[in-house]
Amino acid sequence: MRHPLILGTAALALSLAASTVPAEAHGFNFSTDPCKYDYSTPYDVDVTASGLSFHRASGTPAKVFLHDGALRVDGKDIAVSRADADALRRYEDGVRRLMPQVAEIAREATQLGFSAMTTVTLTFADGDQRAGMLEKLKRKQAQALREIDEGIGAGHWSSDRMTETLAGSISDSVGELVGSVTSSAVTAALSGDSSKVAALQARAEALDKTLDREMDKRSHALDAKTQKICPQIDDLAAVQRGWGIRLSDGKPLELLTIKPKENKDDDESAHKKVASP
């Protein structure tokens, strides 16, 4: 019998669905290849007509507000030079341009993930189970998209909220699908009916081809949009590096955390050494 392959194929498909959650679901973190550095921010961000608000529950400063070259830190106005005022304006403009693009990526990644899960459901689920699972996926996708629109789509970035919206909604759905697919495969295997196993195997093989073809084109398009984000983050990092704004303790104002990119080749080599007998 080849039922292990059925489970393997289904697991691969479900893994693909989960992997479509973008990096920003785990924090405001862009570390794709085109980026010069790894970037993150400890702040939640609100983009409104009156300015940009960076705020966090712990750490100092707790709140930074900037608009049209003016700066306020923890409720106190900070005097800045003309050059730094210009830098703050460029920074504000850059963030305003970036937010809608990140929202679009989040929407498309969500749609891609749920599309993959819908394809898996159509392949393996039958009858009332299929109808129920499809309806649940539809509701969860609509809820996730609504939360994106009300959050980052409306100019409100929250790392925790994005994690809950994207990673939470998709991972929960993947868990349910894993249980369903596993149940179908085990039931077919234990039935002793070779025709059922063959039919399920045929579905798995068809899924492998269909999902690969469907996801490949869409994921490449999404990846291209994500990569266009990097130069804009690089520009924000350059602006931040260039300004002379200092806090009361003498440290530079950092809204964006900038770290050197890790050497993936070294990580892979270390992993191979650990894995070697």
Side-chain angles (χ1 to χ4, degrees):
M1 289 187 182
R2 299 171 64 194
H3 55 272
L5 180 58
I6 299 173
L7 292 176
T9 303
L12 179 62
L14 294 168
S15 175
L16 175 59
S19 70
T20 57
V21 180
E24 48 270 34
H26 307 287
F28 195 67
N29 181 22
F30 294 90
S31 57
T32 52
D33 290 340
C35 293
K36 294 180 180 178
Y37 301 93
D38 285 340
Y39 302 116
S40 62
T41 180
Y43 295 96
D44 289 344
V45 186
D46 290 325
V47 179
T48 67
S50 61
L52 306 188
S53 173
F54 296 79
H55 48 92
R56 55 183 171 179
S58 61
T60 55
K63 186 172 182 179
V64 177
F65 181 84
L66 58 95
H67 181 56
D68 194 24
L71 176 66
R72 190 162 63 248
V73 177
D74 288 338
K76 297 180 179 179
D77 293 331
I78 305 298
V80 298
S81 67
R82 181 177 297 178
D84 285 339
D86 288 340
L88 288 171
R89 290 188 186 94
R90 294 199 303 274
Y91 200 89
E92 180 178 0
D93 289 343
V95 173
R96 288 186 182 279
R97 289 194 300 270
L98 185 64
M99 278 288 201
Q101 297 175 60
V102 176
E104 182 180 359
I105 289 171
R107 290 187 194 97
E108 292 191 18
T110 298
Q111 291 169 338
L112 183 59
F114 277 98
S115 177
M117 289 186 286
T118 297
T119 300
V120 173
T121 300
L122 289 171
T123 300
F124 288 104
D126 293 310
D128 293 340
Q129 182 191 45
R130 173 190 287 185
M133 292 178 68
L134 289 176
E135 180 59 30
K136 185 175 291 187
L137 286 174
K138 184 178 179 180
R139 289 199 308 269
K140 286 191 173 184
Q141 178 178 349
Q143 178 181 350
L145 292 174
R146 183 168 57 253
E147 290 178 359
I148 291 171
D149 289 340
E150 294 173 351
I152 191 170
H156 308 296
W157 167 264
S158 168
S159 178
D160 290 342
R161 182 173 182 176
M162 288 293 287
T163 299
E164 182 179 353
T165 297
L166 297 179
S169 63
I170 291 183
S171 62
D172 288 348
S173 298
V174 167
E176 293 179 17
L177 277 176
V178 168
S180 174
V181 171
T182 301
S183 176
S184 298
V186 171
T187 300
L190 295 180
S191 70
D193 189 335
S194 59
S195 63
K196 288 184 178 180
V197 174
L200 197 58
Q201 178 64 40
R203 293 186 192 182
E205 292 175 350
L207 172 68
D208 194 24
K209 297 177 181 178
T210 301
L211 197 61
D212 182 65
R213 184 170 57 250
E214 177 186 351
M215 294 295 106
D216 187 61
K217 182 177 180 180
R218 294 178 63 181
S219 63
H220 275 79
L222 181 59
D223 185 56
K225 288 186 177 181
T226 301
Q227 290 186 16
K228 289 181 180 179
I229 292 292
C230 283
Q232 299 177 64
I233 302 293
D234 290 336
D235 289 344
L236 288 177
V239 171
Q240 178 176 288
R241 284 178 180 276
W243 63 39
I245 303 170
R246 295 294 182 269
L247 301 174
S248 57
D249 58 5
K251 294 181 180 179
L253 174 64
E254 292 186 350
L255 302 174
L256 189 66
T257 302
I258 307 168
K259 293 182 179 181
K261 295 181 72 66
E262 295 182 358
N263 191 321
K264 295 182 180 180
D265 292 337
D266 290 346
D267 290 344
E268 291 178 0
S269 298
H271 175 72
K272 289 179 180 179
K273 288 180 180 179
V274 171
S276 298

